[in-house]
Amino acid sequence: MSFDVLQDKIIAMKNPTVAGLDARIDYVPAHIRQAAYAEYGKGLKGAVEAIYQFNVGLIDALCDIVPAVKPQSAYYENLGWQGMEMLERTIQYAKSKGLYVIADIKRGDIGSTASAYAEGWLSGTAVEGETFKTFDADCVTLNGYMGSDSINPFLDAAKAEDKAVFALVKTSNPGSGELQDVGVNRGGTVYGVMARLLEKLGQGTEGKYGYTRVGAVTGATHPAELAQIRTMMPHTFLLVPGYGAQGGTAEDVKFAFQENGHGAIVNSSRGIMCAWKKTGGDGHDFQEAARNAAIAMRDDICRFTTIQ
């Protein structure tokens, strides 16, 4: 199943990290922007092509170091249909380089709407009896706080395509506690209720490493809660945002991992994409800077977690 594929890649690379591809136009070095503007104009089309070339450069620089990439759809949706077409191209290119692709879409609707989202991102859309793949990600992120009927259509699509999902449990943002930490009966919390629901929804889909198709998003910025969730969710693969720019440390994220360093992957976006801005150069070294940042992140996390 899909998380077996991801875990295999993590073990092969000895690297439990995922690089976010969340580029805004001002993240792109000037020489790439100017070349795109010269060919496509200084507008949406030029911005889209500049970001795509930046993404390709990052993927080329990282594909032998990181096992996965995570494009966040918001950074493509804000560019309109051309941005979404570019996201599809980015996903296809990442997969062609052997990377596992987590589409960070955080969808959370129900019924036929959820099914349509699942078709678009995971299983493909039927037209006159033939199925056409569109974004075709390996995995998506979900907001399941509308309940199981906002997750099940994606889980059904994931089962059919040997893919997976990550649903929000305890997020990394400062305001997460306003709802997720609220107490419920018997001394639990809202995020605890969600954790138990996801473990239940995934039952029967365990792969060779013991993880179900239903993963959980748990922020590095709340290490005590992360450790608690890891205990509550022994069969759940964790996606851990919040490392680096948001304040989470390698010592914090160690709580996400189980025996042999299995069961979790840690995200960094700006820390890798924008590493070139800290080198003192003009951006021509963006690939080298991203590569060095990814290696440094891997080595930092592996001071506390051994991948076997």
Side-chain angles (χ1 to χ4, degrees):
M1 55 82 72
S2 185
F3 284 137
D4 288 341
V5 174
L6 179 56
Q7 186 65 74
D8 284 340
K9 290 179 181 292
I10 290 170
I11 293 169
M13 292 186 172
K14 297 292 189 286
N15 187 358
T17 70
V18 52
L21 296 178
D22 306 348
R24 287 187 178 276
I25 189 61
D26 56 336
Y27 295 175
V28 180
H31 69 281
I32 299 176
R33 298 200 311 269
Q34 295 308 318
Y37 295 155
E39 184 170 357
Y40 299 102
K42 190 178 291 186
L44 285 176
K45 181 62 174 175
V48 162
E49 293 306 321
I51 291 171
Y52 180 69
Q53 292 304 320
F54 184 51
N55 283 348
V56 167
L58 290 171
I59 290 166
D60 287 345
L62 298 172
C63 63
D64 65 331
I65 298 172
V66 301
V69 290
K70 184 179 71 63
Q72 160 56 258
S73 65
Y75 294 94
Y76 302 85
E77 291 175 27
N78 69 351
L79 295 165
W81 69 265
Q82 295 174 99
M84 295 306 286
E85 184 272 339
M86 185 260 289
L87 173 56
E88 187 174 351
R89 279 190 281 149
T90 295
I91 291 172
Q92 291 171 350
Y93 188 75
K95 292 178 73 171
S96 78
K97 302 295 283 189
L99 289 161
Y100 186 94
V101 178
I102 303 167
D104 194 355
I105 62 173
K106 295 188 180 70
R107 298 300 192 258
D109 220 318
I110 58 172
S112 59
T113 308
S115 295
Y117 279 133
E119 291 166 4
W121 290 99
L122 294 175
S123 61
T125 299
V127 179
E128 301 295 342
E130 184 177 356
T131 298
F132 295 88
K133 295 295 181 67
T134 48
F135 295 106
D136 197 23
D138 296 304
C139 182
V140 295
T141 62
L142 304 175
N143 185 343
Y145 277 96
M146 285 183 74
S148 60
D149 44 358
S150 64
I151 298 172
N152 282 330
F154 290 92
L155 183 54
D156 290 341
K159 288 178 181 177
E161 297 293 318
D162 197 21
K163 296 183 177 184
V165 305
F166 283 112
L168 303 182
V169 173
K170 175 60 179 170
T171 55
S172 58
N173 59 300
S176 66
E178 294 170 1
L179 293 176
Q180 295 164 18
D181 292 358
V182 172
V184 297
N185 291 338
R186 301 179 183 175
T189 59
V190 170
Y191 73 76
V193 172
M194 178 59 74
R196 288 188 290 273
L197 175 62
L198 297 184
E199 274 275 306
K200 179 180 178 182
L201 290 177
Q203 286 178 359
T205 67
E206 293 84 357
K208 68 180 180 181
Y209 293 104
Y211 301 109
T212 77
R213 293 187 189 277
V214 185
V217 180
T218 55
T221 49
H222 307 289
E225 292 86 346
L226 177 57
Q228 179 193 32
I229 288 166
R230 176 74 281 173
T231 299
M232 295 173 65
M233 308 185 78
H235 306 293
T236 301
F237 208 97
L238 303 183
L239 170 62
V240 185
Y243 171 90
Q246 293 186 53
T249 68
E251 192 168 8
D252 294 331
V253 304
K254 70 181 181 182
F255 298 111
F257 295 94
Q258 294 180 302
E259 186 178 1
N260 296 321
H262 292 181
I265 192 163
V266 182
N267 178 73
S268 176
S269 298
R270 284 169 290 170
I272 293 174
M273 288 186 302
C274 297
W276 67 270
K277 292 189 174 186
K278 298 181 179 180
T279 67
D282 62 1
H284 280 83
D285 62 344
F286 81 95
Q287 290 177 291
E288 180 183 4
R291 187 178 179 87
N292 289 340
I295 291 170
M297 178 184 177
R298 176 199 66 194
D299 293 347
D300 186 30
I301 290 172
C302 289
R303 290 188 302 123
F304 300 93
T305 304
T306 301
I307 310 298
Q308 296 179 348

